[in-house]
Amino acid sequence: MKLSRMNGLRASAIGALVVSGALVLSACGSDNNSGATPNGDKTSAAASNIKCEGAKGQLLAAGSSAQKNAMDLWVKNFQAACDGVEVNYQAIGSGGGITKFNQGQVAFAGSDSALKEEEVAESAKICKTGKGVNLPMVGGPIAIGYKLDGVDNLVLDAPTIAKIFNTDIKKWNDPAIAKLNPGVKLPDSNIQAFHRSDESGTTQNLGKYLSTAAPAEWKHDPKSKSWPAPGGQAANGSSGVATAVKDAEGSIGYFELSYATANKISTVSVNTGAAAPVAATTENASKAIAAAKVKGTGSDMALSLDYATKAEGAYPLVLVTYQIACDKGNKAETLPTLKAFLNYAISEDGQKVLSDAGYAPMPAEIATKVREIVPTLS
């Protein structure tokens, strides 16, 4: 199949994925080393099929904290297989990663949103003979996590989530929340809403979801990676928001499911208009990602997600994280390591380990095309 035929491709294959439950993995250190820790028991087996293909030295990368727990697994397995190789990934947020990539400071960036046109144009200065392309490698749900004593199951819809994060709803027993949770004893206490302080693709995906599913309540720029709403409290990175929610009674925040799982944080089920509220699980996120379309052309695999889905069991608040690299013009000294690492990440073995950390592997059709693109990077 030629790459040009990818436009409009439905990513339906993801529905066939068997996604295991996320393991509760230990948290350690700062945002660069936080969340789910790689499963050492699987390292030897996972590393045995990795092709190092000339990989050597240090590979620098930065960006999305959403994929940091997945990156931990990939890096550990890759370094175990390839002697003398070090992959250093800094989880500084999608915006920071793109900035570093377009300044030539890293070999690739992780971003929870595809490059904007102006970012693609800027990347041409670094890629010289090419441009930055979006290669989807990680998928999963953005969980709305909360800490509310005595409330184990909480249902919210898009308009209510928008009003909470826009500080229009300030009390947990607000009528809008009570209506969605009949029979639940909600406290007459203040809501502490936490958001990201750094530029984040997670923030941008939340904004796209709210702008699509609750346009009357969320009037902010859906393309913004910076937090656009007034009020609330800020924390750095997904791990920072998760830690803040874990520690503060009456709090609510947003972060990838892996951070909720690792920190044992309760998550909201979303009333989408389907027959029943939808929980934040990798399987339910997969059902929503199944409606994605490829909007990129050539070597670019940018996806268009359906945030307004009402399909039964489809969790609409999802993201796909891309690895952003030059299609042409990569630095000769890091190119072999870049290709070997990305080849592993998108391989069947690389994708299999994602569910252990609370992520959804890419659907087979999308993964197949990315596997064809990575070896052509030059």
Side-chain angles (χ1 to χ4, degrees), residues 116-128:
K116 300 176 183 177
E117 289 184 13
E118 58 268 30
E119 291 170 337
V120 174
E122 190 176 352
S123 73
K125 300 175 184 177
I126 295 301
C127 300
K128 298 186 184 305

Side-chain angles (χ1 to χ4, degrees), residues 105-141:
Q105 297 180 30
V106 294
F108 73 92
S111 178
D112 307 325
S113 57
L115 291 171
K116 300 176 183 177
E117 289 184 13
E118 58 268 30
E119 291 170 337
V120 174
E122 190 176 352
S123 73
K125 300 175 184 177
I126 295 301
C127 300
K128 298 186 184 305
T129 56
K131 62 182 180 181
V133 291
N134 304 284
L135 304 173
M137 295 195 182
V138 184

